[in-house]
Amino acid sequence: MPRPGGPEHIEPAHFVADRNGALIGHGFNLPRGSIADRPGPGEFRLTPHGADLARAHLNEERLHLGGIDHNPLPHGEMIFHDNGHMVLHADGNRFYHLGPDGRIASFRVGEDRLRFGRDGVLHTYRDRHFALRRDFQGDVHIYGHLPDRAVLVNLGPHRGVYEHPVMFHGHSFVHATWVTPHGVDVRNYAEYPYHGVILRRYIPPYHYTPAFYGWVAHPWAAPAPYHWTFVSAPVYTAQEGYFAVAPVYPAPSDWLADQLLADARGIESALDSADAGPPEAGASDSASYQPDNEDWQSLAADGAGDAAADTLVASASPEAADESDDAGSASQVVASSADAPITPDLKTQLAEEIRQQIELDSIDQNNVEADPATALDGLPARLQTPGYIFVVYNDETATVVSYPTVDSNSICGLQPGDTLRLKSALSATDTTATLVVSSSHAKDCPLNTVVQVKLQALQQMWNSMRESMEAGLSQLRYDPNNGGLPQPPLSSVAAPLQANVPPDLSTPDPGVANMLATQQAQATNSVTQAEQSMNADRSSLSANP
């Protein structure tokens, strides 16, 4: 029973049952006769009276917790496992999976499955229609699978993508219609297998003349001043200590490096004034979405935890919940206490990488039917280049490999604008890459932390970097004013652009904005109903039996 005054948490310990049916441990001291039977190894099914006593104890403990864990638990059948985990089966066929401290790890009713973090906040929701996921930074994404392998991904207010597969000359592509606050954009990706996963490489909509690429790849006659339109905006000044644009640029690649970093941070960059270029070339409003093979499987496929819930096996389901896609609920989180800013040397290296990419584009011409796994300008080639810098465009979670005073189950967060440096080339069997944090914001992965990142996330970063670079090339090619930067020679822009994709892949799919709005409303309604089901009988509950 609770100690006088109520403890702040249930003390961790193993449950021990005596021959008289008493149960002791984890802050509990249930009297004899509390155990009804033992349905499995290390498991104790409580009698109705024992379950009421345990629930009263847990409800008193939960008064100190936040989020969903502050609410009292309903009456129901309870099974305890000797490792401290518990399952509560309440009326309406509702299953609550509890950790040793009484927090709800997961909840299931019918086809609705919810998982919560230690803060009592919903981290994932899934049913047979869609899956909802709250990422490391707290942003909510909604994944919906539609017929014919189409996918609808909601990435926030007025932002998302509808994509579906397309075959072209025997090659597999993904046609994506993006909705952003600034309009609709079309992007195409070539799918390819690499190290056991399916990746998708961004295909630029156009390629330019070799003369234009040559002009971009070489320094200007003199350093060129440039006025960024956002330098007085709060969104920029608030982070100027982390990233600051230069006043002058010796070469186009130096300007493209700042443009890419500003784009990654979501700053209103000079792209906003580039209204002469084709809209397909712009990428300033949204980062590339590279689906993780586990995104849908881990959220929408039935797992061991659900089977455990059906049979009230307490030993399996809480661990399954802890192993959800939100690893933060089970892992030690490593976080920096201060910004580690982008240095001039890092920007110089990034500019050189961009210059080399421009030269490769001039040679490769972005052949839409080329094999992305062997292309000289693709991600696989970059993953054989130690020291190569990746810029983060989306919130990511990385596995910590090396950092002082951390255990083997540690993670850290990455947010847009953080940068990573490839530590070593990938071997033929690697499914993750090892990188070193080269700059980061406060509360993200600390500087010089060695981390592992999945190939899907790196492909996403590479795609986003390419999309930002293409937007910058569009401005250099089309903007007649160009903020004071030199104009390309007329000979380099006289020839018309050549499309990299066929015309039928350049048209956006209709009605995507409405599809995203409908999905958002349905998801909100489904989650609300599921959470109401968790607390349906709150008014009739009390902390004591």
Side-chain angles (χ1 to χ4, degrees):
M1 296 298 296
R3 293 186 295 275
E8 294 185 356
H9 64 279
I10 299 174
E11 295 294 337
H14 287 287
F15 283 122
V16 177
D18 65 18
R19 68 180 64 185
N20 296 315
L23 190 65
I24 301 172
H26 293 280
F28 287 87
N29 186 1
L30 300 180
R32 67 176 60 188
S34 296
I35 299 175
D37 59 23
R38 300 187 180 189
E43 295 172 354
F44 309 94
R45 189 193 314 270
L46 302 186
T47 63
H49 180 65
D52 282 342
L53 292 175
R55 184 183 60 83
H57 182 108
L58 289 169
N59 283 340
E60 183 170 339
E61 293 291 317
R62 290 163 57 82
L63 292 175
H64 302 275
L65 303 179
I68 199 70
D69 290 316
H70 186 71
N71 299 330
L73 297 169
H75 294 276
E77 181 182 2
M78 293 193 73
I79 286 184
F80 282 38
H81 193 273
D82 63 2
N83 63 11
H85 292 285
M86 296 159 274
V87 173
L88 168 64
H89 183 192
D91 62 345
N93 215 27
R94 295 175 294 162
F95 295 88
Y96 301 74
H97 300 261
L98 310 174
D101 55 2
R103 301 175 193 267
I104 297 177
S106 65
F107 171 77
R108 178 180 180 180
V109 57
E111 295 181 337
D112 298 331
R113 299 156 178 87
L114 296 80
R115 289 174 177 172
F116 298 87
R118 290 185 56 79
D119 53 2
V121 173
L122 177 70
H123 281 198
T124 68
Y125 168 90
R126 56 188 171 94
D127 62 16
R128 62 188 178 92
H129 300 293
F130 64 88
L132 178 149
R133 173 180 180 177
R134 189 183 306 275
D135 65 20
F136 191 89
Q137 301 293 340
D139 296 324
V140 175
H141 299 167
I142 304 169
Y143 306 84
H145 274 197
L146 305 177
D148 300 322
R149 293 181 56 210
V151 176
L152 185 66
V153 182
N154 199 311
L155 299 175
H158 310 293
R159 184 169 181 261
V161 57
Y162 169 69
E163 58 182 39
H164 56 88
V166 177
M167 294 300 295
F168 177 70
H169 289 185
H171 296 271
S172 177
F173 297 92
V174 174
H175 179 66
T177 299
W178 277 85
V179 173
T180 75
H182 286 239
V184 178
D185 187 15
V186 174
R187 302 180 197 175
N188 291 283
Y189 305 87
E191 290 188 321
Y192 67 102
Y194 183 68
H195 286 215
V197 297
I198 300 297
L199 301 179
R200 52 180 62 174
R201 164 183 163 152
Y202 169 70
I203 304 172
Y206 304 99
H207 61 258
Y208 301 91
T209 63
F212 178 73
Y213 285 124
W215 176 76
V216 175
H218 287 81
W220 286 310
Y226 184 80
H227 175 69
W228 296 90
T229 58
F230 56 72
V231 291
S232 59
V235 68
Y236 171 74
T237 57
Q239 58 180 303
E240 196 169 4
Y242 176 77
F243 160 65
V245 295
V248 297
Y249 295 96
S253 57
D254 295 295
W255 177 83
L256 285 169
D258 268 358
Q259 185 267 343
L260 186 152
L261 290 167
D263 199 19
R265 287 297 300 146
I267 300 172
E268 293 295 329
S269 69
L271 292 168
D272 290 341
S273 62
D275 55 2
E280 293 87 352
S284 60
D285 290 313
S286 55
S288 170
Y289 167 67
Q290 167 69 34
D292 185 329
N293 288 352
E294 298 176 3
D295 273 348
W296 184 258
Q297 294 173 6
S298 64
L299 293 173
D302 287 340
D306 298 325
D310 286 336
T311 57
L312 272 179
V313 178
S315 58
S317 52
E319 288 82 356
D322 284 343
E323 293 170 1
S324 70
D325 52 286
D326 185 85
S329 61
S331 305
Q332 177 183 350
V333 177
V334 178
S336 174
S337 59
D339 287 348
I342 295 172
T343 65
D345 286 345
L346 192 151
K347 288 208 291 185
T348 298
Q349 182 177 346
L350 181 61
E352 176 59 20
E353 289 180 1
I354 292 173
R355 188 194 66 78
Q356 293 175 7
Q357 187 72 54
I358 295 295
E359 290 186 340
L360 290 172
D361 284 351
S362 179
I363 298 171
D364 182 70
Q365 295 288 296
N366 290 306
N367 182 2
V368 69
E369 298 186 49
D371 182 2
T374 59
L376 295 176
D377 66 337
L379 175 69
R382 302 288 78 79
L383 293 176
Q384 298 301 317
T385 310
Y388 187 84
I389 291 194
F390 290 88
V391 178
V392 180
Y393 275 71
N394 295 287
D395 295 326
E396 304 284 353
T397 301
T399 301
V400 176
V401 176
S402 175
Y403 188 73
T405 67
V406 300
D407 59 29
S408 58
N409 192 32
S410 298
I411 59 173
C412 60
L414 298 166
Q415 66 173 292
D418 292 347
T419 63
L420 304 168
R421 193 187 307 271
L422 186 66
K423 181 176 175 60
S424 56
L426 260 66
S427 70
T429 58
D430 287 339
T431 57
T432 60
T434 302
L435 305 101
V436 180
V437 177
S438 47
S439 70
S440 66
H441 296 78
K443 300 183 180 180
D444 290 348
C445 300
L447 182 68
N448 295 325
T449 303
V450 180
V451 297
Q452 286 184 332
V453 178
K454 290 188 285 190
L455 298 181
Q456 294 94 331
L458 292 174
Q459 180 72 69
Q460 184 180 60
M461 295 177 203
W462 186 91
N463 286 346
S464 297
M465 292 167 68
R466 287 308 313 266
E467 292 165 20
S468 290
M469 193 178 77
E470 289 300 317
L473 289 175
S474 175
Q475 180 173 342
L476 291 172
R477 167 65 173 78
Y478 285 100
D479 192 346
N481 299 316
N482 217 17
L485 295 178
Q487 296 291 315
L490 290 178
S491 60
S492 70
V493 297
L497 293 178
Q498 298 184 46
N500 282 326
V501 296
D504 56 341
L505 294 185
S506 302
T507 305
D509 292 300
V512 175
N514 290 336
M515 293 168 62
L516 290 168
T518 299
Q519 183 192 56
Q520 177 69 56
Q522 291 175 342
T524 300
N525 184 59
S526 295
V527 171
T528 299
Q529 289 184 355
E531 291 185 331
Q532 289 175 345
S533 175
M534 291 184 67
N535 303 315
D537 51 359
R538 281 183 59 191
S539 60
S540 63
L541 298 177
S542 63
N544 296 300

